[in-house]
Amino acid sequence: MNPVNTDTIRPSGREALLDHETRLVYEWAVRQRRVEPADPARMAGDLGLTEARCRRAVDLLAALCLLVRRPGAERGCYATVGPEAAAARLTGQEEARLRLEEAELGRRQAELARLRAEVASLAPVYQSQGGGSDASVRLLEDAYVLRSALDSVVGAAKEEVLAIRPGGGHPEAALAELLPRDLGMLERGVRLRSVYQHLTRFDPPTRSYAELVIAEGAEIRTRAEVPAKLVVVDRTTAFVPARRATGGALMVREPALVAHFVRLFEHEWGQAVPYDTAPTAARTVTRDVSDVIALLLAAGEKDDTIARRLGMSTRTCRRHVADLLARLGAQSRFQAGVLAEREGLTVPVDVPADVPVPR
């Protein structure tokens, strides 16, 4: 028997595959015990349907194995089949194929587990030559090594993960990788606190990720501007940027340095506002962004520098600058800086002197 291609007969959305008219045709065929090529005309008369509609119903019933061609009979001669037998005939081969695929997937997963264990068995050699995880500061050469180390350390977190994530939005693919890891961490009872930039509230992928993890207990706050990316795990291990060209980082285990980074995070956390996408919150953070732009204008910063620091495009930054000039009634950037200073918009919040700010 040739396998049935079920893809061609699946309904779309919530549409019913077997509509009322098709069911009537099946009931008629069961009463007659068979269907002959000329029968659609009789069906139409008996059921009050068009002959074309009856033929389409017969074709669908045949595709669903509820009608099967009688051995040796001419084309269009069918015998009726019970629903349970039809369902088994329709899906049996595909279910068997899926079982084979599941078995192959299990075999491949076992092979990967053995490969992982064999490579990991070299850990004592690596550590004995000074490359072990006990090193107080370790350079992670590129983004791939960084991601592996982060997944390992964050995956083993027992109490708390602190994160500062700059940028006005984050790639959807990267968030899709983070989500299962972070949800698993929250499920284990690990506390997750993150500081993002205000503009992430208006980025759909980042907003979706944030709402999902917040629903599971994560805490997220935002600021107009944040320092460089930072992750601290269990207050014992910190990850800070290094080698920007390759996406590398430093993994820091030196207690004094980690304590400094924790203080930096707590300072940013204290200055940030809880994550919310309500209209009132959007107006508040938009005004906050505008005030920081005023501060940077007064300091003489260029549009591209302001945009980079606030996680926005240069075009968006220029729109904010234009809005700020209009709000202040300024005719120039210089005048906007002066007026902003008079209104007290250019007084920066100092970072504690003993907290290093990685840029």
Side-chain angles (χ1 to χ4, degrees):
M1 180 181 69
N2 294 327
V4 177
N5 183 5
T6 56
D7 289 336
T8 63
I9 54 176
R10 287 175 182 155
S12 59
R14 297 179 179 274
E15 177 188 353
L17 184 60
L18 290 168
D19 58 21
H20 177 66
E21 293 177 348
T22 303
R23 291 172 182 272
L24 288 177
V25 170
Y26 179 67
E27 183 180 353
W28 187 96
V30 170
R31 286 198 304 269
Q32 303 297 323
R33 296 290 189 273
R34 62 178 59 195
V35 173
E36 302 292 340
D39 282 345
R42 293 176 53 207
M43 293 177 191
D46 292 347
L47 301 176
L49 304 174
T50 65
E51 184 175 345
R53 182 65 190 86
C54 291
R55 291 190 183 279
R56 286 198 298 272
V58 168
D59 290 342
L60 177 58
L61 292 170
L64 293 173
C65 300
L66 289 161
L67 295 176
V68 295
R69 187 173 177 181
R70 299 201 306 272
E74 64 178 297
R75 184 179 181 84
C77 295
Y78 297 105
T80 57
V81 177
E84 291 186 1
R89 178 172 180 154
L90 182 68
T91 64
Q93 289 195 359
E94 188 168 352
E95 288 174 347
R97 179 180 60 80
L98 290 174
R99 284 194 294 271
L100 288 174
E101 289 180 355
E102 288 175 358
E104 175 64 14
L105 177 61
R107 186 185 67 79
R108 289 290 298 141
Q109 287 175 329
E111 287 181 356
L112 292 174
R114 286 194 298 271
L115 179 61
R116 181 189 294 270
E118 190 161 344
V119 172
S121 68
L122 293 173
V125 177
Y126 182 67
Q127 293 171 358
S128 68
Q129 299 302 315
S133 59
D134 291 334
S136 60
V137 179
R138 176 184 165 195
L139 175 62
L140 306 174
E141 296 282 351
D142 54 41
Y144 299 103
V145 177
L146 169 60
R147 185 168 64 182
S148 177
L150 263 174
D151 287 345
S152 176
V153 175
V154 173
K158 294 180 173 61
E159 297 178 5
E160 181 181 50
V161 173
L162 312 174
I164 296 176
R165 302 186 188 278
H170 300 278
E172 190 170 1
L175 293 170
E177 288 187 8
L178 282 179
L179 186 60
R181 186 194 73 185
D182 291 349
L183 291 177
M185 181 172 61
L186 292 165
E187 188 176 350
R188 298 197 313 271
V190 177
R191 187 183 185 191
L192 173 60
R193 288 192 288 156
S194 301
V195 179
Y196 286 72
Q197 290 191 254
H198 283 331
L199 292 184
T200 57
R201 298 172 184 242
F202 310 106
D203 178 63
T206 309
R207 186 170 64 240
S208 176
Y209 161 84
E211 290 171 351
L212 286 170
V213 296
I214 287 173
E216 297 302 319
E219 301 167 74
I220 298 179
R221 295 184 181 182
T222 64
R223 291 197 69 186
E225 184 182 10
V226 300
K229 189 173 183 179
L230 170 68
V231 177
V232 182
V233 181
D234 288 340
R235 305 198 174 210
T236 62
T237 307
F239 294 86
V240 294
R243 298 197 175 182
R244 180 173 295 180
T246 63
L250 295 177
M251 184 170 70
V252 180
R253 295 183 186 271
E254 166 57 44
L257 283 174
V258 173
H260 277 308
F261 291 125
V262 170
R263 283 176 57 79
L264 171 61
F265 175 86
E266 295 294 357
H267 175 268
E268 295 297 313
W269 182 259
Q271 298 294 321
V273 294
Y275 190 94
D276 190 359
T277 56
T280 53
R283 287 193 292 271
T284 298
V285 300
T286 300
R287 181 61 181 265
D288 193 10
V289 169
S290 180
D291 291 348
V292 174
I293 290 175
L295 171 64
L296 297 174
L297 281 178
E301 298 287 3
K302 303 292 186 182
D303 287 348
D304 55 349
T305 302
I306 297 173
R308 184 171 60 253
R309 290 177 62 168
L310 298 186
M312 63 177 66
S313 67
T314 302
R315 181 178 179 181
T316 300
C317 176
R318 287 172 179 158
R319 187 170 66 246
H320 279 283
V321 170
D323 291 343
L324 177 63
L325 265 62
R327 175 159 69 89
L328 295 172
Q331 300 301 314
S332 66
R333 295 164 63 93
F334 175 77
Q335 186 183 15
V338 173
L339 294 175
E341 188 169 3
R342 287 178 184 173
E343 291 193 12
L345 301 180
T346 61
V347 180
V349 177
D350 291 331
V351 176
D354 63 341
V355 176
V357 182
R359 291 290 184 185

